[in-house]
């Protein structure tokens, strides 16, 4: 399957012949780092290979559209509940620089004792099945060709079916996974004997498949009452999983600690979180670090979350990190919307580009105060471990409620999560192996009659699925109603007749978000805001964020609702579909004709950047086709623009009008047309306006020939001019 | 014994650690962690679970549905302590049939007497 950047992902193509699809590669891949790499005008210290296709940061157009890629792997979490929608989100995220795609599982999969098959819809994530994984890996294999960088696919090896999921992941080329039996025990109430016995097998399978393991300690942070007090236990959870993984045969380079800076402003975040990050990296020298952004203190305000995440990422840069994970800034208010997930990726890369080479300039001050803080983290952790031993070991200490206590260890509030070793989901299912126990397969942990040195345990029958993937048994669908084909019926039908709906999560879900400031006290303002949303024909409007500006003066609201309207492509203005002429065609027509144009930013307006880009040869502006451009500056009166046009014999006038206060851009456009008409110039001048809030329709309504808005390139303007002038020439 | 409330007695507790260098403290940390996981990993080495057994059958070329059926029936007959994979493999050898013929035969209700023997 090959993707074309201007074509939507075709799910039919993804599903075609899936039964025989094999992943291109297995195991985790790191970015290829490049020291002192020249990209555009800059030399970067901490970058990796650049991409073939990507979408740079918004400001990149000022620097020649460069898109440097940082040295850390960047994660995005994906959780729409429908894998077919997830695939589109993965593709968008990859174009924005994500190369670790973490697919969240549907609620409750941890408690399913076995694998599920087919493509059922999930809640808060997808049901992890062979078909969904294979379709995702196949798509990612194509996306990595499109962007030009390997993409790591990740999900969860937890719950009651850990060993089976680990085998599934190894077979299907999943590259990273969470695996931590403590998570099962503490947060899913799965029997602890079952969890740890299963975990050893799962870890062995993951180790042999090169899958990067993330632990589950970040959950203790996310659920703690006061997250900065959970730090001693976080050391312990990391240590238990790390030591257990090593004992199960996992090499250190595949073991990544999932760590989160515990606090957020207004807490003195850097002063608390940085020493913690340092202490952790010292204690776990030799292991990988997956830095997650803070979720514990996320509210509905996406801007606040974003700023916290910038500082989380700064900690990653100041210490040592291998994988920078991102949290979508809207996680505090809804299931992540796809464009917000991508905003999270951008937060990370913008921060990491901003801090490129920071280590050359800054070092953390190694003074007594820092050392004391670092030491205290470690000592509290050691004391915690000692008490586990005193309690009689791990199981006894969990039974006693030593974990997830809200006290700052050794302080204790006696509110920890206590689990009975004899209870929990899957209790009583652990079976003692007889001395002749055997499992004739690779990557099996523990006593095994077939584990003979120098021989593969599966040799006698020609190889297990890990050696011979042709033996993998693929199940397509099991539920005739809950499957991808059924779900695609509506989107396909709508696409065929050319209907478009807005969406935030699933195909055409119709969800939109509007921002309203209402100048009244909060409760009144909220009721009014919801009423206003209904007037906008939003169904089921719901306030997802409210920020008080002043108790009496008003509040600002973000309201989500469903806009149950589909737009027909055929009803859209034709010129929107029009492609610009090819560069060569424009240039060969323009150059011999010596066409002059006059350009200026008009009115009381000092913005020049946008117009210069449309004109300047070095930005790919219209000069490169041979237009003679006479740029006369900013804040130019309209009269002056027309005078220059007259004296230079220009055939077109380009005005830029950015300022929009009191509709001044509209006035400028109307006045330009009127003035040109008054002076008898209108018929021989093409009048064009450009600006961030200018649209083609708007400019035409004002009497101009065309309007160009955000995202316009010189080629678009040149193409329009050529077509217009060519038409006039042939008349 | 259920943990009870306790004030933050870090200052008194840390006395025993105070004299240690960072390296010694790190070594103690990892020594304790390893001691804590020792009995857990030993249990894993000597025990199995239905999920492990199903994962073995997956690797031997059975589908998840087949593996679930086989392991459930072997569990009911108290046979898993020898390993589901071993049972199927030995059956195939004894009957000179393929692994899949052995496993699918069991799912059809055949051969069970031989496994119990």
């Amino acid at each position: 399957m090959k993707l074309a950047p201007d074509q939507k992902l075709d799910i039919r193509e993804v599903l075609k012949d899936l039964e025989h699809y094999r992943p291109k590669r297995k195991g985790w891949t790191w970015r290829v780092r490049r020291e002192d790499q020249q990209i555009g005008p800059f030399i970067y210290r901490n970058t990796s290979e650049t991409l073939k296709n990507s979408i740079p940061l918004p400001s990149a157009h000022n620097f020649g559209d460069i898109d440097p890629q940082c040295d850390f792997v960047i994660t995005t979490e994906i959780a729409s509940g429908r894998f077919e929608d997830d695939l589109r989100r993965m593709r968008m995220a990859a174009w924005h620089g994500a190369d670790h795609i973490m697919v969240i599982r549907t609620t409750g999969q941890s408690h399913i004792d076995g694998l599920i098959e087919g493509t059922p819809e999930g809640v808060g994530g997808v049901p992890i099945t062979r078909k969904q994984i294979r379709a995702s890996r196949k798509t990612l294999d194509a996306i990595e060709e499109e962007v030009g960088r390997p993409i790591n696919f990740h999900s969860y090896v937890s719950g009651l079916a850990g060993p089976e999921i680990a085998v599934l992941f190894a077979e299907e080329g999943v590259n990273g996974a969470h695996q931590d039996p403590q998570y099962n025990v503490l947060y899913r109430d799965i029997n602890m004997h079952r969890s740890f016995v299963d975990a050893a097998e799962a870890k062995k399978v993951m180790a042999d498949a090169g899958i990067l393991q993330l632990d589950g300690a970040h959950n203790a942070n996310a659920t703690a009452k006061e997250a900065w007090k959970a730090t001693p236990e976080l050391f312990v959870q990391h240590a238990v999983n790390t030591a257990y993984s090593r004992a199960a045969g996992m090499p250190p380079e595949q073991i990544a600690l999932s760590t989160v800076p515990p606090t957020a402003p207004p807490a003195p975040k850097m002063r608390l979180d940085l020493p913690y990050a340092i202490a952790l990296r010292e204690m776990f020298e030799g292991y990988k670090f997956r830095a997650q952004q803070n979720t514990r203190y996320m509210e509905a305000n996406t801007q606040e979350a974003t700023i916290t995440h910038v500082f989380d990422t700064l900690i990653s840069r100041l210490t040592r990190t291998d994988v920078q994970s991102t949290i979508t800034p809207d996680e505090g208010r809804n299931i992540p919307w796809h464009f917000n997930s991508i905003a999270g990726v951008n937060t990370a890369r913008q921060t990491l580009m901003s801090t490129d080479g920071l280590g050359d300039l800054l070092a953390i001050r190694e003074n007594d105060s820092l050392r004391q803080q670092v030491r205290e983290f470690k000592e509290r952790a050691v004391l915690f471990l000692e008490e586990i031993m005193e309690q009689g070991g791990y199981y006894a200490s969990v039974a006693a409620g030593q974990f997830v206590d809200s006290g700052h260890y050794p302080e204790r509030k006696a509110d920890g999560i206590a689990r009975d070793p004899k209870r929990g989901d899957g209790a009583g299912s652990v079976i003692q192996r007889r001395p002749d126990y055997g499992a004739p397969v690779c990557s099996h942990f523990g006593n095994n009659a077939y584990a003979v040195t120098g021989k593969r345990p599966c040799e006698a029958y020609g190889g297990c699925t890990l050696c011979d993937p042709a033996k993998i048994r693929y199940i397509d669908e099991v539920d005739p109603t809950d499957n991808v084909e059924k779900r695609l019926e509506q989107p396909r039908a709508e696409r065929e007749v050319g209907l478009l709906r807005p969406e935030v999560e699933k195909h055409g879900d119709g969800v939109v978000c509007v921002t309203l400031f209402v100048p009244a006290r909060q409760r009144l303002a909220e009721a009014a805001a919801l009423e206003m949303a209904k007037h906008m024909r939003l169904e089921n409007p719901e306030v997802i964020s409210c920020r008080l500006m002043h108790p009496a003066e008003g509040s600002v609201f973000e309201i989500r609702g469903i806009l149950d309207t589909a737009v027909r492509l055929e009803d859209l203005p034709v010129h929107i579909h029009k492609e610009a002429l090819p560069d060569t065609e424009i240039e060969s027509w323009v150059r011999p004709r010596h066409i002059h144009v006059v350009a200026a930013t008009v009115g009381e307006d000092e913005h020049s950047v946008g117009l210069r880009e449309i004109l300047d040869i070095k930005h790919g502006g219209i000069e490169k086709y041979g237009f003679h451009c006479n740029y006369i500056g900013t804040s130019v009166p309209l009269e002056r623009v027309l005078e220059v046009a007259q004296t230079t014999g220009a055939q077109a006038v380009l005005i830029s009008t950015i300022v929009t206060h009191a509709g001044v851009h509209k006035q400028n456009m109307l006045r330009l047309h009127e003035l040109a008409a008054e002076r008898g110039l209108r018929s021989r001048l093409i009048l064009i306006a450009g600006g961030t809030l200018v649209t083609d329709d708007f400019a035409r309504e004002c009497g101009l020939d065309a309007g160009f808005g955000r995202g316009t390139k010189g080629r678009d303007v040149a193409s329009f001019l050529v077509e217009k002038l060519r038409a006039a020439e042939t008349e | 014994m259920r943990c009870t409330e306790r004030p933050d007695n870090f200052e008194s507790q840390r006395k025993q650690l105070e004299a240690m260098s960072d390296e010694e403290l790190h070594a103690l940390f990892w020594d304790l962690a390893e001691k804590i996981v020792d009995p857990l990993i030993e249990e894993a080495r000597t025990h199995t679970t239905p999920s492990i057994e199903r994962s073995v059958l997956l690797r031997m070329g059975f589908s998840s549905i087949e593996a679930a059926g086989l392991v459930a029936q072997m569990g009911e007959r108290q046979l898993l302590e020898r390993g589901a994979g071993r049972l199927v493999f030995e059956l195939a050898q004894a009957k000179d049939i393929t692994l899949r013929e052995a496993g699918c035969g069991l799912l059809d209700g055949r051969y069970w007497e031989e496994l119990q023997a």
Side-chain angles (χ1 to χ4, degrees):
Chain A
M1 187 170 72
K2 195 166 160 45
L3 299 174
D6 61 347
Q7 295 291 316
K8 283 184 75 67
L9 179 71
D10 185 352
I11 305 293
R12 273 172 298 199
E13 195 58 34
V14 174
L15 297 173
K16 201 168 98 187
D17 205 24
L18 203 52
E19 189 176 349
H20 300 111
Y21 191 75
R22 296 301 314 142
K24 282 198 313 192
R25 62 189 169 80
K26 287 189 178 186
W28 185 266
T29 308
W30 298 104
R31 291 187 180 189
V32 180
R33 296 186 178 194
R34 292 253 183 273
E35 276 176 27
D36 296 332
Q37 183 173 204
Q38 175 100 36
I39 303 173
F42 309 114
I43 293 173
Y44 290 86
R45 306 273 183 245
N46 309 120
T47 54
S48 56
E49 285 181 348
T50 49
L51 297 181
K52 200 159 73 184
N53 281 306
S54 70
I55 296 177
L57 289 171
S59 289
H61 72 97
N62 296 299
F63 310 103
D65 279 319
I66 53 171
D67 192 9
Q69 299 293 314
C70 66
D71 45 352
F72 304 161
V73 167
I74 294 183
T75 315
T76 187
E77 290 188 8
I78 294 195
S80 79
R82 294 180 179 175
F83 85 97
E84 65 274 22
D85 288 317
D86 286 351
L87 301 181
R88 297 184 293 127
R89 191 183 302 213
M90 291 175 193
R91 190 182 184 197
M92 295 190 279
W95 275 64
H96 283 260
D99 54 345
H100 178 205
I101 306 286
M102 188 177 285
V103 173
I104 310 297
R105 298 202 303 185
T106 187
T107 309
Q109 188 162 2
S110 291
H111 294 286
I112 297 173
D113 197 356
L115 293 181
I116 24 184
E117 301 282 0
T119 53
E121 183 164 350
V123 178
V126 292
I128 293 297
T129 67
R130 188 181 298 277
K131 182 172 180 179
Q132 313 226 48
I133 287 188
R134 193 175 285 189
S136 301
R137 185 65 261 180
K138 179 180 175 185
T139 307
L140 287 171
D141 284 348
I143 294 172
E144 52 181 53
E145 294 291 331
E146 188 183 28
V147 297
R149 178 166 65 200
I151 294 173
N152 294 296
F153 179 33
H154 181 116
S155 196
Y156 294 69
V157 176
S158 54
L160 282 167
E164 293 149 273
I165 291 175
V167 167
L168 173 66
F169 285 6
E171 290 171 342
E172 300 295 336
V174 175
N175 317 92
H178 280 81
Q179 211 304 310
D180 190 339
Q182 299 166 98
Y183 172 82
N184 280 352
V185 173
L186 296 171
Y187 300 104
R188 290 287 174 266
D189 195 15
I190 292 172
N191 176 264
M192 52 186 87
H193 293 278
R194 171 73 183 262
S195 286
F196 275 84
V197 173
D198 276 350
E201 180 80 0
K203 287 175 190 300
K204 174 75 176 133
V205 172
M206 287 169 62
D208 290 353
I211 296 174
L212 184 76
Q213 172 187 270
L214 270 54
D215 64 29
H218 57 281
N219 293 289
N221 182 293
T223 54
K225 284 183 187 151
E226 296 171 297
W228 64 96
K229 292 187 176 173
T231 48
E233 177 173 336
L234 291 169
F235 273 82
V236 169
Q237 287 201 21
H238 288 307
V240 168
N241 197 52
T242 300
Y244 196 69
S245 303
R246 292 300 300 275
M250 192 175 275
E253 61 272 16
Q254 269 174 259
I255 300 174
L257 277 69
S258 179
T259 175
V260 190
T263 73
K269 179 177 176 63
M270 297 302 280
R271 206 179 73 223
L272 295 173
D273 295 358
L274 191 56
Y276 166 65
I278 294 168
L280 202 60
R281 281 155 180 81
E282 288 179 1
M283 192 67 102
F284 289 83
E285 179 71 41
Y287 296 99
K288 300 289 183 189
F289 281 82
R290 174 265 189 155
Q292 179 59 293
Q293 297 168 333
N294 191 288
T295 55
R296 173 65 187 85
Y297 298 110
M298 275 181 89
E299 300 295 321
N301 190 304
T302 55
Q303 189 189 11
E304 183 193 36
T306 299
I307 293 168
T308 296
H309 294 161
V310 167
F311 282 95
D312 289 329
T313 311
L314 178 61
I315 291 170
S316 299
R317 177 58 89 206
L318 289 172
T319 54
R320 176 171 73 77
T321 293
D322 302 285
V323 179
Q324 178 62 55
S325 290
T326 65
I327 289 291
T328 165
D330 62 341
E331 194 172 298
R333 63 195 205 186
N334 46 245
I335 285 178
W337 293 356
H338 48 34
F339 54 81
N340 284 323
S341 293
I342 285 150
V345 172
N346 279 302
T347 300
R349 66 172 171 149
Q350 189 177 348
T351 309
L352 291 168
M353 285 343 299
S354 303
T355 54
D356 179 86
L358 192 64
D360 295 351
L361 303 172
L362 292 185
I364 290 159
R365 190 177 286 183
E366 285 284 342
N367 57 19
D368 290 349
S369 156
L370 174 76
R371 275 294 125 206
Q372 205 179 329
Q373 272 181 284
V374 168
R375 176 80 183 194
E376 183 175 332
F377 282 114
K378 297 174 183 173
E379 289 182 356
R380 284 183 189 265
V382 168
L383 293 173
F384 197 116
L385 288 171
E386 285 183 335
E387 188 166 1
I388 294 176
M389 295 300 288
E390 285 158 20
Q391 291 273 12
Y394 177 79
Y395 292 159
S397 72
V398 173
Q402 195 179 331
F403 286 82
V404 204
D405 186 291
S406 64
H408 187 206
Y409 192 89
E411 179 199 23
R412 204 144 55 198
K413 302 281 194 199
D415 57 359
I417 295 176
R419 302 290 190 200
D420 184 340
K422 294 193 193 67
R423 292 179 184 274
D425 209 354
S429 61
V430 172
I431 303 149
Q432 185 153 20
R433 299 181 192 184
R434 271 183 23 175
D436 61 345
Y437 172 90
V441 291
C442 294
S443 302
H444 186 63
F445 178 79
N447 296 349
N448 182 3
Y450 298 100
V452 183
T453 318
K455 276 182 74 177
R456 282 185 293 121
C458 59
E459 256 175 36
Y461 60 93
C464 62
T465 57
L466 299 175
C467 304
D468 177 12
K471 290 205 173 92
I472 295 170
R473 304 297 292 186
Y474 177 81
I475 294 174
D476 191 58
E477 294 289 355
V478 285
D479 188 329
T481 53
D482 188 4
N483 63 59
V484 62
E485 290 296 335
K486 283 275 171 209
R487 287 194 298 274
L488 283 173
E489 281 172 8
Q490 193 201 349
R492 274 180 189 155
E494 292 200 344
R495 197 166 294 158
E496 266 167 37
V497 294
L499 289 182
L500 271 182
R501 293 175 190 278
E503 63 168 47
V504 298
E505 195 191 344
K506 293 170 184 164
H507 176 92
D509 54 33
V511 175
V512 297
C513 181
V514 294
T515 306
L516 293 170
F517 174 85
V518 183
R521 62 190 165 81
Q522 197 166 358
R523 286 191 59 186
L524 202 61
E526 179 165 336
L530 282 170
E531 197 56 31
M532 290 168 192
K534 285 180 195 155
H535 285 276
M536 289 184 232
R537 291 179 48 221
L538 296 191
E539 289 176 15
N540 307 321
E542 192 185 324
V543 173
I544 54 173
S545 160
C546 162
R547 178 78 173 135
L548 183 70
M549 294 289 109
H550 182 274
E553 296 295 354
S555 292
V556 64
F557 301 91
E558 285 177 88
I559 295 184
R560 60 156 270 166
I562 295 170
L563 181 70
D564 190 11
T565 304
V567 167
R568 282 183 180 278
L569 289 178
E570 62 190 32
D571 294 342
L572 298 176
V574 180
H575 54 266
I576 290 181
H577 300 297
K578 205 157 187 179
E579 284 291 313
L581 298 172
D583 277 352
T584 48
E585 186 179 339
I586 298 173
E587 186 167 357
S588 62
W589 197 85
V590 173
R591 207 167 278 288
R593 287 179 170 76
H594 295 287
I595 298 159
H596 288 259
V597 303
V598 172
T601 304
V602 297
E604 302 291 326
D605 193 336
E606 286 298 322
H607 294 89
S608 65
V609 174
L611 182 55
R612 297 306 295 258
E613 284 188 3
I614 297 299
L615 303 175
D616 286 358
I617 195 161
K618 65 172 186 274
H619 295 300
I622 65 173
E623 281 178 344
K624 76 169 184 184
Y625 304 108
F627 284 103
H628 300 284
C629 297
N630 193 348
Y631 172 69
I632 52 177
T634 55
S635 298
V636 179
L638 292 164
E639 292 79 0
R640 167 106 179 106
V641 177
L642 290 175
E643 278 160 23
V644 177
Q646 221 168 348
T647 54
T648 56
Q651 289 174 270
V653 166
L654 274 59
I655 63 162
S656 174
T657 177
I658 307 291
V659 174
T660 56
H661 294 307
V664 66
H665 59 320
K666 183 180 180 184
Q667 292 307 318
N668 285 334
M669 292 194 282
L670 283 168
R671 191 74 193 125
L672 179 66
H673 164 67
E674 287 166 8
L675 267 180
E678 283 167 20
R679 296 184 180 194
L681 301 169
R682 187 65 188 90
S683 59
R684 59 184 175 91
L685 274 182
I686 298 173
L687 301 180
I688 294 175
T692 42
L693 290 177
V694 172
T695 65
D696 193 46
D697 285 343
F698 188 24
R700 285 168 196 262
E701 278 166 28
C702 294
L704 305 189
D705 294 292
F708 289 93
R710 202 184 286 281
T712 301
K713 303 276 180 228
R715 182 177 155 202
D716 302 318
V717 176
S719 174
F720 173 79
L721 284 170
V722 168
E723 291 197 78
K724 190 86 180 165
L725 290 167
R726 200 158 55 181
E729 213 172 71
T730 53
E731 264 172 20
Chain B
M1 199 177 67
R2 189 78 170 87
C3 290
T4 51
E5 278 195 61
R6 181 169 66 197
D8 189 355
N9 58 2
F10 174 65
E11 288 307 325
S12 61
Q13 290 292 307
R14 74 174 293 265
K15 290 273 182 281
Q16 41 146 343
L17 306 173
E18 207 169 26
M20 282 185 183
S21 68
D22 250 18
E23 290 68 33
E24 287 165 336
L25 192 70
H26 290 195
L28 175 60
F29 178 86
W30 284 110
D31 183 49
L32 287 165
E34 280 157 25
K35 283 202 175 86
I36 287 166
V37 304
D38 273 350
L40 308 180
I41 204 76
E42 189 49 32
E43 184 183 11
R45 206 181 297 284
T46 52
H47 289 72
T48 189
T49 70
S51 181
I52 292 175
E53 295 310 311
R54 288 190 301 256
S55 81
V56 169
L57 293 180
L58 284 181
R59 277 172 271 186
M60 291 168 70
F62 293 95
S63 75
S64 65
I65 295 170
E66 292 161 349
L70 286 167
V71 168
Q73 293 186 54
M74 288 172 179
E76 282 163 20
R77 293 172 166 87
Q78 315 289 325
L79 294 171
L80 290 175
E81 58 192 18
R82 291 191 65 222
R86 173 161 205 158
L87 296 178
V88 173
F89 181 58
E90 285 188 345
L91 178 66
Q93 283 187 317
K95 297 251 149 216
D96 196 21
I97 53 179
T98 66
L99 289 180
R100 286 201 54 79
E101 284 165 344
C104 295
L106 288 168
L107 285 171
D108 290 341
R110 287 176 282 146
Y111 311 135
W112 285 100
E113 328 68 52
E114 289 167 61
L115 291 190
Q116 265 141 338

